Amino acid sequence: MTETADETRRSIGARRNPASADAIREAAQAVLLEAGYAGFSIEAVARRARAGKPTIYRWWPSKAALLIDVYQRQKRVDNPDTGNLEDDLVQFLQSLFRHWRETPAGSIFRSVIAEAQTDEAAATALTDYAQDRRAHTGRMVARAIERGEVRADVEPTMVADLVASYAWVHLLTGRIDEDEATTRVAIRAIVRGILATPAK
Amino acid sequence: MTETADETRRSIGARRNPASADAIREAAQAVLLEAGYAGFSIEAVARRARAGKPTIYRWWPSKAALLIDVYQRQKRVDNPDTGNLEDDLVQFLQSLFRHWRETPAGSIFRSVIAEAQTDEAAATALTDYAQDRRAHTGRMVARAIERGEVRADVEPTMVADLVASYAWVHLLTGRIDEDEATTRVAIRAIVRGILATPAK
Amino acid sequence: MTETADETRRSIGARRNPASADAIREAAQAVLLEAGYAGFSIEAVARRARAGKPTIYRWWPSKAALLIDVYQRQKRVDNPDTGNLEDDLVQFLQSLFRHWRETPAGSIFRSVIAEAQTDEAAATALTDYAQDRRAHTGRMVARAIERGEVRADVEPTMVADLVASYAWVHLLTGRIDEDEATTRVAIRAIVRGILATPAK
Amino acid sequence: MTETADETRRSIGARRNPASADAIREAAQAVLLEAGYAGFSIEAVARRARAGKPTIYRWWPSKAALLIDVYQRQKRVDNPDTGNLEDDLVQFLQSLFRHWRETPAGSIFRSVIAEAQTDEAAATALTDYAQDRRAHTGRMVARAIERGEVRADVEPTMVADLVASYAWVHLLTGRIDEDEATTRVAIRAIVRGILATPAK
DNA sequence: TATTAAGCGAGACGGTACGTCTCGTCTTAGA
DNA sequence: TCTAAGACGAGACGTACCGTCTCGCTTAATA
């Protein structure tokens, strides 16, 4: 997350050198941050990490695998619990947008999505990841159901899907600097609906 | 739309030969359909279209531009008007998913999104396109407001954003074979909300 | 033969640019001269010639092919005609040794021989070249036969083979700085024989 | 001498395990025989010998050193003594050609020569070896001088140089299947000379 | 009618990156 | 202290595309 290794690394015997793996991951992150997905190549990472290309290919079978590994190591956004679902979801989205804006996470995630359109492994990893995140985000809804705020027949992951989709598409179309008011309007639609006369 | 041109094309004087442009677009579509975004290269399109690379670059400044052009030529999904917003939106999403499943459109759109993560022009085009589509989809909501079904303070494009985001993410994560019931549950959340006690 | 091209080269249309080919040959020669066969790589030649690797592979199928091309372009040693075979051959060998010492030719020829031990094409090219050179060198002997200096039943290429072999092995074992007297002793053995009592 | 060791070898304590060295030499020979110089790599030898690369590098400083070691272990061609120099030399060359054809020796020697064009150590080893062989071959000439067959002022190693050069170049240019008559013609030129009127 | 201007297919150009191979060095665990 | 094992940084291999360039041609519009 911090800096490129300068000291020369060597083999530490017939087993993987974690320092090399770390240096490669950090270099990958740095390259993504500085040059974006367009400039992200195994050669660039190897140069930056002062590692040999075969060392990278020894541990990550493809560009996609490295990308996903780097992405998985990102800190996750937490799961607010204010006692009010709308506030929870607004706070969640705002935290997520901030996280994407202020760390390499947003850039990396966009890259993973792009890579998933080309690479089968990345596609699978992305699908799995999305499912996992829906479950996680759905916990906010589940808590709201438990406290009687939300109807019992609502599927938490369905709501999480709506919220996450909103976030992803904002990331992909460069709209993650959205202010809280705008976010709240969208969340409120999901929570309260948009009908003039609420359905029975 | 159907076949690759075999007859040799020549210059038709000091102006663009539409036959070449068409052959290139058709070749691009065929390459995308057969080899996917991974196999989509200007060289492959030129080979397939029996065109010179400069002929492509003369009319499309980049791979992304060609991709977007091809995408724009796809038939659009229509805008249902049943007199009930929920039905309109469900029908819209189901039509869109079917369109993406049964024509090259889904494959092409995924490619445009991927390309937009690398290419600035594609990113701009995608943003513009998304805005345009939101306006279009928002018309369903606007009609519902006009007939008093939806509150007047609801921003139609905000609702369209929620719906389109749901669709995009399903495309990107391989979930466009969703059945109508599942789609309806999500749309109903947006329309009616999910609260146990509807807000005043 | 002289310098590396500095000016930027471009395509000159859908046909080979001789300037590129020349620059590559010259770069190959320069690399061989400076770094020897050990440092001779397609990458090094491409860097030196400011050419892309594919441009080299477009015209020379292998390292060996480039090597042989460069070697074939070397100026050949001439064919003395003093009226005395011994003098002709001594002068020929001394010229050859000087040529090998003072131009890249010696280094290149050693490389071709080495490459021929690995590469089938180089082996064939070397065999052909050797045969051609034997014919050429044999002309000195043929002239000696014509003027009655040498027996009519002597095969000129056989003598050329002996002389050329002597030269090659001296090149391969680093003995091309041999003085004229030593060369003459060897040539004299071939011309006059070494018997105490000359055979009838 | 023929097959790859299968049994696992272990260290035999703080001293060299001759079984490893033998296995490596045999593997090197087998690799040379089967894949030729082109396929001869330290990695290939290590794989074949089931030895670690450092074990090879511990005992042979370079690929060239291993090559030379393997070559030195080859049986040498003997030194005929028929009482007639021409017969001795013809027999010697024919034995040498047969040896090169029928054992890995020819392939190995070609490899040493190729390696010597790149590797300084191999070059030195080759030079030394050539000198040694000239001395050895020269003994046939020395015996001829002793019995008065050859002039006393003839330098035996010079004659050996001519004969060995002839042999080497035939090896390098794929002409070691030469029949005895052809060999004899060349040897006869060295022994008797080629002049129409023998020099006084 | 002759000239000119631009589009056309073609493909070479200098580059960059790919994923694989071997080099020679290093460190380990176990005998 | 030697062994097998194999990771390491380095860098070359030959291939695929990138986007640009120039060619020789064809044709329509202009002069």
Side-chain angles (χ1 to χ4, degrees):
Chain A
M1 186 70 89
T2 52
E3 264 306 299
T4 303
D6 292 330
E7 73 285 2
T8 305
R9 289 181 307 278
R10 283 277 182 283
S11 166
I12 56 167
R15 64 196 212 285
R16 182 169 188 168
N17 184 345
S20 289
D22 287 347
I24 289 164
R25 267 188 291 259
E26 284 174 18
Q29 202 165 111
V31 167
L32 270 171
L33 190 57
E34 291 172 18
Y37 177 53
F40 181 74
S41 70
I42 295 288
E43 300 231 329
V45 173
R47 267 195 301 273
R48 176 99 183 201
R50 302 191 62 76
K53 277 201 291 176
T55 302
I56 299 182
Y57 282 106
R58 225 187 309 275
W59 304 117
W60 295 272
S62 67
K63 203 160 118 164
L66 176 55
L67 212 42
I68 288 164
D69 186 7
V70 169
Y71 185 64
Q72 304 266 27
R73 306 229 158 202
Q74 296 299 311
K75 190 158 53 62
R76 296 280 167 60
V77 159
D78 51 38
N79 207 291
D81 186 3
T82 63
N84 175 277
L85 180 60
E86 182 183 309
D87 289 341
D88 282 359
L89 292 175
V90 168
Q91 192 174 318
F92 170 74
L93 276 188
Q94 286 287 307
S95 297
L96 184 57
F97 286 169
R98 191 179 325 111
H99 180 55
W100 281 345
R101 277 198 309 272
E102 296 175 2
T103 72
S107 173
I108 298 170
F109 192 42
R110 292 175 68 196
S111 302
V112 171
I113 293 172
E115 193 72 17
Q117 309 313 309
T118 284
D119 185 280
E120 194 51 54
T124 305
L126 179 62
T127 301
D128 293 351
Y129 177 78
Q131 189 163 24
D132 175 71
R133 289 284 89 192
R134 280 198 297 277
H136 184 259
T137 307
R139 293 226 306 271
M140 285 181 279
V141 182
R143 285 195 298 265
I145 294 173
E146 283 168 22
R147 63 181 177 254
E149 185 183 356
V150 164
R151 290 198 311 275
D153 64 336
V154 166
E155 181 64 57
T157 56
M158 179 274 292
V159 179
D161 200 1
L162 281 169
V163 172
S165 295
Y166 184 82
W168 285 33
V169 170
H170 275 234
L171 174 65
L172 292 173
T173 53
R175 292 182 286 150
I176 55 173
D177 52 353
E178 196 176 68
D179 62 23
E180 188 182 317
T182 309
T183 302
R184 185 171 294 274
V185 168
I187 292 298
R188 192 167 287 176
I190 298 171
V191 173
R192 303 189 186 178
I194 58 177
L195 293 184
T197 312
K200 304 160 292 293
Chain B
M1 188 70 88
T2 51
E3 262 310 297
T4 304
D6 292 330
E7 74 285 2
T8 306
R9 289 180 308 279
R10 282 279 181 279
S11 168
I12 55 168
R15 64 193 214 285
R16 180 169 187 171
N17 184 345
S20 289
D22 287 347
I24 289 163
R25 267 188 291 261
E26 285 174 18
Q29 201 166 111
V31 167
L32 270 170
L33 190 58
E34 291 173 18
Y37 177 53
F40 182 75
S41 69
I42 294 289
E43 302 230 328
V45 173
R47 265 196 302 275
R48 176 101 184 198
R50 303 191 60 74
K53 279 201 287 174
T55 303
I56 299 182
Y57 282 106
R58 217 186 317 273
W59 304 117
W60 296 272
S62 68
K63 198 161 123 169
L66 175 56
L67 213 42
I68 288 163
D69 186 6
V70 169
Y71 185 65
Q72 305 268 26
R73 306 233 156 200
Q74 296 299 310
K75 192 158 54 60
R76 295 277 166 61
V77 159
D78 51 40
N79 206 292
D81 187 2
T82 63
N84 175 277
L85 180 60
E86 184 183 306
D87 289 342
D88 283 359
L89 291 175
V90 168
Q91 194 174 318
F92 169 74
L93 275 188
Q94 286 288 306
S95 297
L96 184 56
F97 286 169
R98 192 179 326 110
H99 181 55
W100 281 344
R101 278 197 308 271
E102 296 174 3
T103 72
S107 173
I108 298 170
F109 192 43
R110 293 175 67 195
S111 302
V112 171
I113 294 173
E115 194 71 16
Q117 309 313 310
T118 284
D119 184 280
E120 195 51 55
T124 305
L126 180 63
T127 301
D128 293 352
Y129 177 79
Q131 190 164 24
D132 175 72
R133 291 283 87 193
R134 281 197 298 277
H136 184 259
T137 307
R139 295 226 305 273
M140 286 181 278
V141 183
R143 286 195 297 265
I145 295 173
E146 282 167 22
R147 64 181 176 253
E149 185 182 358
V150 164
R151 291 198 310 275
D153 65 336
V154 167
E155 181 62 61
T157 57
M158 179 274 291
V159 179
D161 200 3
L162 281 170
V163 173
S165 296
Y166 183 83
W168 285 32
V169 170
H170 275 233
L171 174 65
L172 291 173
T173 53
R175 291 182 287 150
I176 55 174
D177 52 354
E178 195 176 70
D179 63 23
E180 189 182 316
T182 310
T183 303
R184 185 171 294 274
V185 168
I187 291 299
R188 193 167 286 176
I190 298 171
V191 174
R192 304 190 186 178
I194 58 176
L195 292 185
T197 312
K200 297 161 293 296
Chain C
M1 187 72 87
T2 51
E3 263 307 298
T4 304
D6 292 328
E7 74 284 3
T8 305
R9 289 181 307 277
R10 283 277 183 283
S11 167
I12 56 167
R15 63 196 212 282
R16 182 170 188 168
N17 184 345
S20 289
D22 287 348
I24 289 164
R25 268 189 290 260
E26 284 174 18
Q29 201 166 111
V31 167
L32 268 171
L33 191 57
E34 290 173 19
Y37 177 54
F40 182 76
S41 69
I42 295 287
E43 301 233 329
V45 173
R47 268 195 301 274
R48 176 98 185 200
R50 305 190 61 74
K53 275 200 290 173
T55 302
I56 298 183
Y57 283 107
R58 228 188 306 274
W59 304 118
W60 294 273
S62 67
K63 203 161 118 163
L66 176 54
L67 213 42
I68 287 163
D69 185 7
V70 168
Y71 185 64
Q72 303 266 28
R73 307 232 156 200
Q74 296 300 310
K75 191 158 55 61
R76 295 280 167 59
V77 160
D78 50 38
N79 206 291
D81 187 3
T82 63
N84 176 276
L85 181 59
E86 183 183 309
D87 288 342
D88 282 0
L89 293 174
V90 168
Q91 192 174 318
F92 169 74
L93 275 188
Q94 286 288 306
S95 298
L96 184 56
F97 286 168
R98 191 178 327 111
H99 180 56
W100 281 345
R101 278 197 310 270
E102 297 174 2
T103 73
S107 173
I108 299 171
F109 193 44
R110 292 175 68 195
S111 302
V112 171
I113 292 173
E115 194 72 16
Q117 310 313 309
T118 284
D119 185 280
E120 194 52 53
T124 305
L126 179 63
T127 301
D128 292 350
Y129 178 78
Q131 189 164 23
D132 175 72
R133 289 284 89 191
R134 283 198 297 276
H136 183 259
T137 307
R139 294 226 306 270
M140 286 181 279
V141 182
R143 285 195 297 265
I145 294 173
E146 281 168 22
R147 63 181 177 254
E149 186 183 355
V150 163
R151 290 199 311 274
D153 65 336
V154 167
E155 181 62 58
T157 57
M158 179 275 291
V159 179
D161 200 3
L162 280 171
V163 172
S165 295
Y166 183 84
W168 285 32
V169 170
H170 275 232
L171 174 66
L172 293 172
T173 53
R175 291 182 287 150
I176 55 174
D177 52 354
E178 193 177 72
D179 62 23
E180 188 182 317
T182 309
T183 302
R184 185 170 293 274
V185 167
I187 291 299
R188 192 167 286 178
I190 297 171
V191 173
R192 302 191 187 178
I194 57 177
L195 292 184
T197 311
K200 298 161 296 293
Chain D
M1 189 68 89
T2 49
E3 265 308 300
T4 305
D6 291 330
E7 73 285 2
T8 306
R9 290 180 307 280
R10 282 280 180 280
S11 168
I12 55 170
R15 63 192 210 284
R16 178 168 188 173
N17 184 343
S20 290
D22 288 347
I24 289 163
R25 268 189 291 260
E26 285 174 18
Q29 200 165 112
V31 167
L32 271 170
L33 190 56
E34 291 172 18
Y37 177 52
F40 182 75
S41 70
I42 293 289
E43 302 228 329
V45 172
R47 265 196 303 274
R48 175 101 184 199
R50 302 192 60 75
K53 281 200 288 175
T55 304
I56 298 182
Y57 282 106
R58 214 185 319 277
W59 304 117
W60 297 273
S62 68
K63 197 160 122 168
L66 175 55
L67 213 42
I68 288 164
D69 185 7
V70 169
Y71 184 66
Q72 305 269 23
R73 306 232 157 200
Q74 296 299 310
K75 191 157 55 63
R76 295 278 166 60
V77 158
D78 52 38
N79 206 293
D81 187 3
T82 64
N84 175 278
L85 181 59
E86 183 182 307
D87 289 341
D88 282 358
L89 292 176
V90 169
Q91 191 174 320
F92 169 75
L93 275 188
Q94 286 288 306
S95 298
L96 184 56
F97 286 170
R98 192 180 325 112
H99 180 56
W100 280 345
R101 277 198 309 272
E102 296 174 2
T103 71
S107 174
I108 299 170
F109 192 42
R110 292 176 67 195
S111 302
V112 171
I113 293 173
E115 195 71 17
Q117 309 312 310
T118 284
D119 185 279
E120 194 52 53
T124 306
L126 180 63
T127 302
D128 293 351
Y129 176 78
Q131 188 163 27
D132 175 72
R133 289 283 88 191
R134 281 198 297 277
H136 184 259
T137 307
R139 294 228 304 273
M140 285 181 278
V141 182
R143 286 195 298 265
I145 294 172
E146 281 168 22
R147 62 181 176 255
E149 186 183 355
V150 164
R151 290 198 311 274
D153 65 336
V154 167
E155 181 61 58
T157 57
M158 180 273 292
V159 179
D161 200 2
L162 281 170
V163 172
S165 296
Y166 183 84
W168 286 32
V169 170
H170 275 233
L171 175 65
L172 293 173
T173 53
R175 292 183 285 150
I176 55 173
D177 52 355
E178 194 176 72
D179 63 22
E180 188 182 317
T182 309
T183 303
R184 184 170 295 274
V185 167
I187 291 299
R188 192 167 287 176
I190 299 172
V191 173
R192 303 190 186 178
I194 58 175
L195 292 184
T197 310
K200 300 161 293 295

